[in-house]
Amino acid sequence: MAHQASPRQEFLQGAKATLPLIVGAIPFGIIFGTLAEPSGLSALAALAMSVIVFAGSSQFIVLGLLAAGAALPVIIATTFVVNLRHLLYSANLVPKVRHLPLRWRIPLAFGLTDETFAAVSNRYLRHDDLQHAHWFYLGSFLAMYSNWVLCTGIGVMLGEVFPGMVNWGLDFAMSVTFIGMVVPYLTNRPMWAAVIVAGAMAIACVALPHKLGLLVAALCGIAVGVSLHWLQQNKKAKHASTCQGGQSYE
């Protein structure tokens, strides 16, 4: 598909594409800020964590482990396991960014979140040109990053005013957001199969420690989806070969 956009247009499109996902992440950023002080983290440390770490799930886990008095090696190992899914994200995006210089790849790697991966992957699916695509990535990353840091600050301030915000059920917004991210991709059988298998495995493996069930479900869903995609491609290739062979005898 023909697609010619300037770096500025790509940047704005990246931020715009991430906006619906940002709305779903707002409650999480605020809740993280409200949890900081009760978990033994100072307001400054909470803000610094959002600025430096920029990983919502890991930050929540760190708060829980700090509150439980866990040792530093346990905290590091747990967050490492939880973020293993980023290996899958990176493997998917490497072919799209490997041509960029290091000064681009480092910040883009830092900005790789669930939301940015969803927005950027959709961009690469719709348009295969890579000339200014990294500006789209940067726009998505900075929109998500600034929102997360801002919401953390708001949460820190609101935590003292409304100490019971954690129990308001605002985290449901994130589930709705991720459902909205997945639905547009369900356009063929491999995608449906991948989602159904991943969902079933996530339920079956929910008892695994350290959220490992999430990684197992993702790998199973990817394996099924990719296998079905290859089978479909091979079937089409054989059909095309048969048709060409038939024409050659005419």
Side-chain angles (χ1 to χ4, degrees), residues 148-195:
W148 182 251
V149 175
L150 176 63
C151 288
T152 299
I154 293 173
V156 169
M157 291 187 293
L158 292 179
E160 297 181 359
V161 181
F162 303 104
M165 284 187 66
V166 177
N167 301 319
W168 289 7
L170 298 176
D171 53 337
F172 181 70
M174 184 60 81
S175 302
V176 175
T177 300
F178 275 94
I179 292 173
M181 289 161 54
V182 171
V183 168
Y185 291 98
L186 303 181
T187 57
N188 52 50
R189 289 182 180 178
M191 291 299 292
W192 273 103
V195 170

Coordinates of all heavy atoms in Angstrom, one line a residue, residues 148-195:
W148 N 2.3 8.1 31.4 CA 2.6 7.3 32.5 C 3.2 8.1 33.7 O 2.8 7.9 34.8 CB 3.5 6.1 32.1 CG 3.8 5.1 33.2 CD1 5.0 5.0 33.9 CD2 2.9 4.2 33.8 NE1 4.9 4.0 34.8 CE2 3.6 3.5 34.8 CE3 1.6 3.9 33.6 CZ2 3.0 2.6 35.6 CZ3 1.0 2.9 34.4 CH2 1.7 2.3 35.4
V149 N 4.2 8.9 33.3 CA 4.8 9.7 34.3 C 3.9 10.7 34.9 O 3.8 10.9 36.2 CB 6.1 10.5 33.7 CG1 6.7 11.4 34.8 CG2 7.1 9.4 33.2
L150 N 3.0 11.3 34.1 CA 2.1 12.3 34.6 C 1.1 11.6 35.5 O 0.7 12.2 36.6 CB 1.3 13.0 33.4 CG 0.2 13.9 33.8 CD1 0.7 15.1 34.5 CD2 -0.5 14.4 32.5
C151 N 0.5 10.5 35.1 CA -0.4 9.8 35.9 C 0.1 9.3 37.3 O -0.5 9.3 38.3 CB -1.0 8.6 35.2 SG -2.1 9.1 33.8
T152 N 1.4 8.9 37.2 CA 2.1 8.6 38.5 C 2.1 9.8 39.4 O 1.8 9.6 40.6 CB 3.5 8.1 38.2 OG1 3.5 6.9 37.4 CG2 4.2 7.7 39.5
G153 N 2.4 10.9 38.9 CA 2.5 12.1 39.7 C 1.1 12.5 40.3 O 0.9 12.8 41.5
I154 N 0.0 12.3 39.4 CA -1.3 12.6 39.9 C -1.7 11.6 41.0 O -2.3 11.9 42.0 CB -2.3 12.5 38.7 CG1 -2.0 13.6 37.7 CG2 -3.7 12.5 39.2 CD1 -2.9 13.5 36.4
G155 N -1.3 10.3 40.8 CA -1.6 9.3 41.8 C -1.0 9.5 43.1 O -1.6 9.3 44.2
V156 N 0.3 10.0 43.1 CA 1.0 10.3 44.3 C 0.2 11.4 45.1 O 0.1 11.3 46.3 CB 2.4 10.7 44.0 CG1 3.1 11.3 45.3 CG2 3.2 9.5 43.5
M157 N -0.2 12.4 44.3 CA -0.9 13.5 45.0 C -2.3 13.0 45.5 O -2.7 13.4 46.6 CB -1.1 14.7 44.0 CG 0.2 15.4 43.7 SD 0.0 16.8 42.7 CE -0.6 16.1 41.2
L158 N -3.0 12.2 44.7 CA -4.3 11.8 45.1 C -4.3 10.7 46.2 O -5.3 10.6 46.9 CB -5.1 11.2 43.9 CG -5.5 12.3 42.8 CD1 -6.2 11.5 41.7 CD2 -6.4 13.3 43.4
G159 N -3.2 10.0 46.3 CA -3.1 9.0 47.3 C -3.3 9.4 48.7 O -3.9 8.7 49.5
E160 N -2.9 10.6 49.0 CA -3.1 11.2 50.4 C -4.6 11.6 50.6 O -5.1 11.6 51.7 CB -2.1 12.3 50.6 CG -0.7 11.9 50.6 CD 0.3 13.0 50.9 OE1 -0.2 14.1 51.1 OE2 1.5 12.8 50.9
V161 N -5.2 12.1 49.5 CA -6.6 12.6 49.6 C -7.6 11.5 49.6 O -8.6 11.5 50.4 CB -6.9 13.6 48.4 CG1 -8.3 14.1 48.6 CG2 -5.8 14.7 48.4
F162 N -7.4 10.4 48.7 CA -8.3 9.3 48.6 C -7.5 8.0 48.8 O -7.2 7.3 47.8 CB -9.0 9.3 47.2 CG -9.7 10.6 46.8 CD1 -9.1 11.5 45.9 CD2 -10.9 10.9 47.4 CE1 -9.8 12.6 45.6 CE2 -11.6 12.0 47.1 CZ -11.0 12.9 46.2
P163 N -7.3 7.6 50.0 CA -6.5 6.4 50.3 C -7.1 5.1 49.8 O -6.5 4.1 49.7 CB -6.3 6.4 51.8 CG -7.4 7.3 52.3 CD -7.6 8.3 51.2
G164 N -8.4 5.1 49.5 CA -9.1 3.9 49.2 C -9.3 3.8 47.7 O -10.1 2.9 47.2
M165 N -8.6 4.5 46.8 CA -8.8 4.4 45.4 C -8.4 3.1 44.8 O -8.9 2.7 43.8 CB -7.9 5.5 44.7 CG -8.4 6.9 44.8 SD -7.4 8.0 43.8 CE -7.8 7.5 42.2
V166 N -7.5 2.4 45.5 CA -7.1 1.0 45.0 C -8.3 0.1 44.8 O -8.4 -0.8 44.0 CB -6.1 0.4 45.9 CG1 -5.7 -0.9 45.5 CG2 -4.9 1.3 46.0
N167 N -9.3 0.3 45.7 CA -10.5 -0.6 45.7 C -11.6 -0.1 44.8 O -12.7 -0.7 44.9 CB -11.0 -0.7 47.2 CG -9.9 -1.2 48.1 OD1 -9.2 -2.1 47.8 ND2 -9.8 -0.6 49.3
W168 N -11.4 0.9 44.0 CA -12.5 1.4 43.1 C -12.7 0.5 41.8 O -13.6 0.8 41.1 CB -12.1 2.8 42.7 CG -12.3 3.8 43.8 CD1 -12.5 3.5 45.1 CD2 -12.2 5.2 43.7 NE1 -12.5 4.7 45.8 CE2 -12.3 5.8 45.0 CE3 -11.9 6.1 42.6 CZ2 -12.3 7.1 45.2 CZ3 -11.9 7.5 42.9 CH2 -12.1 8.0 44.2
G169 N -11.8 -0.5 41.6 CA -12.0 -1.3 40.4 C -11.6 -0.7 39.1 O -12.0 -1.1 38.0
L170 N -10.8 0.4 39.2 CA -10.4 1.1 37.9 C -9.5 0.2 37.0 O -9.3 0.5 35.8 CB -9.6 2.3 38.3 CG -10.4 3.4 39.1 CD1 -9.5 4.5 39.5 CD2 -11.6 3.9 38.3
D171 N -8.9 -0.9 37.6 CA -8.0 -1.7 36.8 C -8.7 -2.4 35.7 O -8.1 -2.9 34.7 CB -7.2 -2.7 37.7 CG -8.2 -3.5 38.5 OD1 -9.3 -3.0 38.8 OD2 -7.8 -4.6 39.0
F172 N -10.1 -2.5 35.8 CA -10.9 -3.1 34.7 C -10.7 -2.4 33.4 O -10.8 -3.1 32.3 CB -12.3 -3.2 35.1 CG -13.2 -3.8 34.1 CD1 -13.1 -5.2 33.9 CD2 -14.1 -3.1 33.3 CE1 -13.9 -5.8 32.9 CE2 -14.9 -3.7 32.3 CZ -14.8 -5.1 32.2
A173 N -10.4 -1.1 33.4 CA -10.2 -0.4 32.2 C -9.1 -1.0 31.3 O -9.2 -1.0 30.1 CB -9.9 1.1 32.5
M174 N -8.1 -1.5 31.9 CA -6.9 -2.1 31.1 C -7.4 -3.3 30.4 O -7.0 -3.5 29.2 CB -5.8 -2.4 32.1 CG -4.5 -2.9 31.3 SD -3.9 -1.7 30.1 CE -3.0 -0.6 31.2
S175 N -8.2 -4.2 31.0 CA -8.7 -5.4 30.3 C -9.5 -5.0 29.1 O -9.4 -5.6 28.1 CB -9.5 -6.2 31.3 OG -8.8 -6.6 32.4
V176 N -10.4 -4.0 29.3 CA -11.2 -3.6 28.1 C -10.3 -3.0 27.0 O -10.6 -3.3 25.8 CB -12.2 -2.5 28.6 CG1 -13.0 -1.9 27.4 CG2 -13.2 -3.1 29.6
T177 N -9.3 -2.3 27.4 CA -8.4 -1.7 26.4 C -7.7 -2.8 25.6 O -7.6 -2.7 24.4 CB -7.3 -0.9 27.1 OG1 -8.0 0.2 27.8 CG2 -6.3 -0.3 26.1
F178 N -7.2 -3.8 26.3 CA -6.5 -4.9 25.5 C -7.4 -5.7 24.6 O -7.1 -6.2 23.6 CB -5.8 -5.8 26.5 CG -4.4 -5.3 26.9 CD1 -4.3 -4.5 28.1 CD2 -3.3 -5.5 26.1 CE1 -3.0 -4.0 28.4 CE2 -2.1 -5.0 26.5 CZ -1.9 -4.3 27.6
I179 N -8.7 -5.9 25.1 CA -9.7 -6.5 24.2 C -9.9 -5.7 23.0 O -9.9 -6.2 21.8 CB -11.0 -6.7 25.0 CG1 -10.8 -7.7 26.1 CG2 -12.1 -7.2 24.0 CD1 -12.0 -7.9 27.0
G180 N -10.0 -4.4 23.1 CA -10.1 -3.5 22.0 C -8.9 -3.5 21.1 O -9.0 -3.3 19.8
M181 N -7.7 -3.8 21.6 CA -6.5 -3.9 20.8 C -6.5 -5.2 19.9 O -6.0 -5.2 18.8 CB -5.3 -3.9 21.7 CG -5.0 -2.6 22.4 SD -3.9 -2.8 23.8 CE -2.5 -3.7 23.1
V182 N -7.1 -6.2 20.5 CA -7.0 -7.5 19.8 C -8.0 -7.7 18.7 O -7.8 -8.2 17.6 CB -7.1 -8.7 20.9 CG1 -7.2 -10.0 20.2 CG2 -5.9 -8.7 21.8
V183 N -9.2 -7.2 19.0 CA -10.4 -7.5 18.1 C -10.1 -7.1 16.7 O -10.5 -7.9 15.7 CB -11.6 -6.8 18.7 CG1 -12.8 -6.8 17.6 CG2 -12.1 -7.5 19.9
P184 N -9.5 -5.9 16.4 CA -9.3 -5.6 14.9 C -8.4 -6.5 14.2 O -8.5 -6.6 12.9 CB -8.7 -4.2 15.0 CG -9.1 -3.7 16.3 CD -9.1 -4.8 17.2
Y185 N -7.6 -7.3 14.9 CA -6.7 -8.3 14.2 C -7.4 -9.6 13.8 O -6.9 -10.4 13.1 CB -5.5 -8.6 15.1 CG -4.6 -7.5 15.3 CD1 -4.7 -6.7 16.5 CD2 -3.6 -7.2 14.4 CE1 -3.8 -5.7 16.7 CE2 -2.7 -6.2 14.6 CZ -2.8 -5.4 15.7 OH -2.0 -4.4 15.9
L186 N -8.6 -9.8 14.3 CA -9.3 -11.1 14.1 C -10.0 -11.1 12.8 O -11.2 -11.1 12.7 CB -10.3 -11.3 15.3 CG -9.7 -11.3 16.7 CD1 -10.8 -11.6 17.7 CD2 -8.6 -12.3 16.8
T187 N -9.2 -11.2 11.7 CA -9.8 -11.2 10.4 C -9.6 -12.5 9.6 O -10.0 -12.6 8.5 CB -9.1 -10.0 9.6 OG1 -7.7 -10.3 9.6 CG2 -9.4 -8.7 10.2
N188 N -8.9 -13.5 10.2 CA -8.8 -14.8 9.5 C -8.7 -15.9 10.6 O -8.6 -15.6 11.8 CB -7.5 -14.7 8.7 CG -6.3 -14.3 9.4 OD1 -6.0 -14.8 10.5 ND2 -5.6 -13.3 8.9
R189 N -8.7 -17.1 10.1 CA -8.7 -18.3 11.0 C -7.5 -18.4 11.9 O -7.6 -18.7 13.1 CB -8.9 -19.5 10.2 CG -10.3 -19.7 9.6 CD -10.5 -21.0 8.8 NE -11.9 -21.1 8.3 CZ -12.3 -22.1 7.6 NH1 -11.4 -23.1 7.3 NH2 -13.5 -22.1 7.1
P190 N -6.2 -18.2 11.3 CA -5.1 -18.3 12.2 C -5.1 -17.3 13.4 O -4.7 -17.6 14.5 CB -3.9 -17.9 11.2 CG -4.4 -18.4 9.9 CD -5.9 -18.0 9.9
M191 N -5.6 -16.1 13.1 CA -5.7 -15.1 14.2 C -6.7 -15.5 15.3 O -6.4 -15.4 16.5 CB -6.0 -13.7 13.7 CG -4.9 -13.1 12.8 SD -3.4 -12.8 13.7 CE -3.9 -11.6 14.9
W192 N -7.9 -16.0 14.8 CA -8.9 -16.5 15.7 C -8.3 -17.7 16.6 O -8.5 -17.7 17.8 CB -10.1 -16.9 15.0 CG -11.1 -15.8 14.7 CD1 -11.3 -15.2 13.5 CD2 -12.0 -15.2 15.7 NE1 -12.3 -14.2 13.7 CE2 -12.7 -14.2 15.0 CE3 -12.3 -15.5 17.0 CZ2 -13.7 -13.4 15.6 CZ3 -13.2 -14.7 17.7 CH2 -13.9 -13.7 17.0
A193 N -7.7 -18.6 15.9 CA -7.1 -19.8 16.6 C -6.1 -19.3 17.6 O -6.0 -19.9 18.7 CB -6.5 -20.7 15.6
A194 N -5.2 -18.4 17.2 CA -4.2 -17.9 18.1 C -4.8 -17.3 19.4 O -4.3 -17.6 20.5 CB -3.3 -16.9 17.4
V195 N -5.8 -16.5 19.2 CA -6.4 -15.8 20.4 C -7.2 -16.9 21.2 O -7.0 -16.8 22.5 CB -7.4 -14.8 19.9 CG1 -8.2 -14.2 21.0 CG2 -6.6 -13.6 19.2

